[in-house]
Coordinates of all heavy atoms in Angstrom, one line a residue:
G6 N 10.4 -11.3 7.2 CA 11.4 -11.2 6.0 C 11.1 -11.9 4.7 O 11.9 -11.9 3.8
F7 N 9.8 -12.4 4.5 CA 9.4 -13.0 3.3 C 9.1 -12.0 2.3 O 8.2 -11.2 2.5 CB 8.3 -14.0 3.5 CG 8.7 -15.3 4.2 CD1 8.6 -15.4 5.6 CD2 9.3 -16.3 3.5 CE1 9.0 -16.6 6.2 CE2 9.6 -17.5 4.1 CZ 9.5 -17.6 5.4
D8 N 9.9 -12.0 1.3 CA 9.8 -10.9 0.2 C 9.3 -11.6 -1.2 O 9.4 -10.9 -2.2 CB 11.0 -10.1 0.0 CG 12.3 -11.0 -0.6 OD1 12.1 -12.3 -0.7 OD2 13.3 -10.4 -0.7
N9 N 8.8 -12.8 -1.2 CA 8.4 -13.4 -2.3 C 7.0 -14.2 -1.9 O 7.1 -15.4 -1.5 CB 9.4 -14.4 -3.0 CG 9.0 -14.8 -4.4 OD1 7.9 -14.3 -4.9 ND2 9.8 -15.6 -5.0
I10 N 5.9 -13.6 -2.0 CA 4.6 -14.2 -1.6 C 3.6 -14.3 -2.7 O 3.4 -13.2 -3.5 CB 4.1 -13.4 -0.4 CG1 5.1 -13.3 0.8 CG2 2.7 -13.9 0.1 CD1 4.5 -12.5 1.9
N11 N 3.0 -15.4 -2.9 CA 1.9 -15.6 -3.8 C 0.6 -15.5 -3.1 O 0.5 -16.1 -1.9 CB 2.1 -16.9 -4.6 CG 0.7 -17.2 -5.2 OD1 0.3 -16.5 -6.3 ND2 0.0 -18.2 -4.9
V12 N -0.4 -15.0 -3.6 CA -1.9 -15.1 -3.1 C -2.6 -15.7 -4.1 O -2.8 -15.4 -5.2 CB -2.4 -13.6 -2.8 CG1 -3.9 -13.7 -2.3 CG2 -1.5 -12.9 -1.8
D13 N -3.4 -16.8 -3.6 CA -4.3 -17.5 -4.5 C -5.7 -16.8 -4.3 O -6.2 -16.7 -3.2 CB -4.4 -19.0 -4.0 CG -3.3 -19.8 -4.6 OD1 -2.7 -19.4 -5.5 OD2 -3.1 -20.9 -4.0
L14 N -6.4 -16.7 -5.4 CA -7.7 -16.0 -5.5 C -8.6 -16.9 -6.4 O -8.2 -17.6 -7.4 CB -7.6 -14.7 -6.0 CG -6.8 -13.6 -5.3 CD1 -6.8 -12.3 -6.1 CD2 -7.3 -13.4 -3.9
M15 N -9.9 -16.9 -6.0 CA -10.8 -17.7 -6.8 C -12.1 -16.8 -7.2 O -12.7 -16.1 -6.3 CB -11.3 -18.9 -6.1 CG -12.1 -19.9 -6.8 SD -12.6 -21.3 -5.7 CE -11.1 -22.0 -5.6
S16 N -12.4 -16.7 -8.5 CA -13.6 -16.0 -9.0 C -14.7 -16.9 -9.4 O -14.6 -18.2 -9.4 CB -13.2 -15.1 -10.2 OG -12.7 -15.9 -11.2
A17 N -15.8 -16.3 -9.9 CA -16.9 -17.0 -10.3 C -17.6 -17.9 -9.3 O -18.1 -19.0 -9.5 CB -16.7 -17.9 -11.6
L18 N -17.5 -17.3 -8.1 CA -18.1 -18.0 -6.9 C -19.7 -17.9 -6.8 O -20.2 -17.0 -7.4 CB -17.6 -17.4 -5.5 CG -16.0 -17.4 -5.5 CD1 -15.6 -16.8 -4.1 CD2 -15.4 -18.7 -5.7
P19 N -20.3 -18.8 -6.2 CA -21.8 -18.6 -6.1 C -22.1 -17.3 -5.4 O -21.6 -16.9 -4.4 CB -22.2 -19.8 -5.1 CG -21.1 -20.8 -5.3 CD -19.8 -20.0 -5.5
G20 N -23.1 -16.6 -6.1 CA -23.5 -15.3 -5.5 C -22.6 -14.2 -5.8 O -23.0 -13.0 -5.5
Q21 N -21.4 -14.4 -6.4 CA -20.5 -13.4 -6.7 C -20.8 -12.6 -7.9 O -21.2 -13.1 -8.9 CB -19.1 -14.0 -6.7 CG -17.9 -12.9 -6.8 CD -16.6 -13.6 -6.9 OE1 -16.5 -14.4 -7.9 NE2 -15.7 -13.5 -6.1
T22 N -20.7 -11.2 -7.8 CA -20.9 -10.3 -9.0 C -19.5 -9.8 -9.4 O -18.5 -9.8 -8.6 CB -21.8 -9.1 -8.5 OG1 -21.0 -8.3 -7.6 CG2 -23.1 -9.6 -7.9
P23 N -19.4 -9.3 -10.6 CA -18.1 -8.6 -11.0 C -17.7 -7.4 -9.9 O -16.5 -7.4 -9.7 CB -18.5 -8.0 -12.3 CG -19.5 -8.9 -12.8 CD -20.4 -9.3 -11.6
L24 N -18.6 -6.8 -9.4 CA -18.3 -5.8 -8.4 C -17.6 -6.3 -7.2 O -16.6 -5.9 -6.6 CB -19.5 -5.0 -8.0 CG -19.3 -3.7 -7.1 CD1 -18.4 -2.6 -7.9 CD2 -20.6 -3.0 -6.8
D25 N -18.2 -7.5 -6.8 CA -17.7 -8.3 -5.7 C -16.2 -8.7 -5.9 O -15.2 -8.6 -5.1 CB -18.4 -9.6 -5.2 CG -19.8 -9.2 -4.8 OD1 -20.0 -8.3 -4.2 OD2 -20.6 -10.1 -5.0
W26 N -16.0 -9.2 -7.1 CA -14.6 -9.7 -7.5 C -13.7 -8.5 -7.5 O -12.5 -8.6 -7.2 CB -14.7 -10.3 -8.9 CG -13.4 -10.9 -9.5 CD1 -12.9 -10.5 -10.7 CD2 -12.5 -11.6 -8.9 NE1 -11.7 -11.1 -10.9 CE2 -11.4 -11.9 -9.8 CE3 -12.3 -12.5 -7.8 CZ2 -10.3 -12.7 -9.5 CZ3 -11.3 -13.3 -7.5 CH2 -10.2 -13.3 -8.4
A27 N -14.1 -7.3 -8.1 CA -13.3 -6.2 -8.1 C -12.8 -5.8 -6.8 O -11.6 -5.3 -6.6 CB -14.1 -5.0 -8.9
Y28 N -13.7 -6.0 -5.8 CA -13.3 -5.5 -4.3 C -12.2 -6.4 -3.9 O -11.1 -5.9 -3.4 CB -14.5 -5.7 -3.4 CG -14.1 -5.7 -2.0 CD1 -13.8 -4.4 -1.4 CD2 -14.0 -6.9 -1.2 CE1 -13.5 -4.4 0.0 CE2 -13.6 -6.8 0.1 CZ -13.5 -5.5 0.7 OH -13.1 -5.5 2.0
T29 N -12.2 -7.7 -4.2 CA -11.1 -8.7 -3.8 C -9.9 -8.3 -4.5 O -8.7 -8.2 -3.8 CB -11.5 -10.2 -4.1 OG1 -12.5 -10.6 -3.1 CG2 -10.3 -11.0 -4.0
L30 N -9.9 -8.0 -5.8 CA -8.7 -7.7 -6.5 C -8.0 -6.4 -6.0 O -6.9 -6.4 -5.8 CB -9.0 -7.6 -8.0 CG -9.3 -8.7 -8.8 CD1 -9.8 -8.4 -10.2 CD2 -8.1 -9.7 -8.8
K31 N -8.9 -5.4 -5.7 CA -8.4 -4.1 -5.2 C -7.7 -4.3 -3.9 O -6.6 -3.8 -3.6 CB -9.4 -3.1 -5.1 CG -10.0 -2.5 -6.4 CD -11.2 -1.6 -6.2 CE -11.8 -1.1 -7.5 NZ -13.0 -0.3 -7.3
E32 N -8.3 -5.1 -3.0 CA -7.7 -5.3 -1.6 C -6.4 -6.0 -1.7 O -5.4 -5.8 -1.0 CB -8.7 -6.3 -0.7 CG -9.9 -5.5 -0.3 CD -9.5 -4.5 0.6 OE1 -8.9 -4.8 1.7 OE2 -9.7 -3.2 0.4
V33 N -6.3 -7.1 -2.6 CA -5.0 -7.7 -2.8 C -3.9 -6.9 -3.5 O -2.7 -7.0 -3.0 CB -5.3 -9.1 -3.5 CG1 -3.9 -9.9 -3.8 CG2 -6.2 -10.0 -2.7
I34 N -4.3 -6.2 -4.5 CA -3.4 -5.3 -5.2 C -2.7 -4.3 -4.2 O -1.6 -4.0 -4.2 CB -4.0 -4.7 -6.4 CG1 -4.3 -5.6 -7.6 CG2 -3.2 -3.5 -6.8 CD1 -5.2 -5.1 -8.6
R35 N -3.6 -3.8 -3.3 CA -3.2 -2.8 -2.3 C -2.0 -3.4 -1.5 O -1.1 -2.6 -1.0 CB -4.4 -2.5 -1.4 CG -4.0 -1.5 -0.2 CD -5.3 -1.3 0.5 NE -6.0 -2.3 1.1 CZ -5.6 -2.9 2.3 NH1 -4.6 -2.3 3.0 NH2 -6.3 -3.9 2.8
L36 N -1.9 -4.7 -1.3 CA -0.9 -5.3 -0.4 C 0.4 -5.5 -1.3 O 1.5 -5.9 -0.6 CB -1.4 -6.7 0.1 CG -2.6 -6.5 1.1 CD1 -3.1 -7.9 1.4 CD2 -2.2 -5.8 2.4

């Protein structure tokens, strides 16, 4: 029944590319 949820995300990680970050954003937005 929780209808107010925050998700913490972190970008600019070691080895991360803009394409990698886009994948994480898409996955979370989908939820």
Side-chain angles (χ1 to χ4, degrees):
F7 284 95
D8 63 357
N9 194 2
I10 299 177
N11 169 64
V12 176
D13 278 340
L14 300 177
M15 188 178 291
S16 63
L18 306 181
Q21 188 180 57
T22 68
L24 192 60
D25 296 331
W26 176 238
Y28 169 76
T29 286
L30 286 175
K31 287 177 183 176
E32 285 294 297
V33 173
I34 289 170
R35 177 176 60 84
L36 297 171

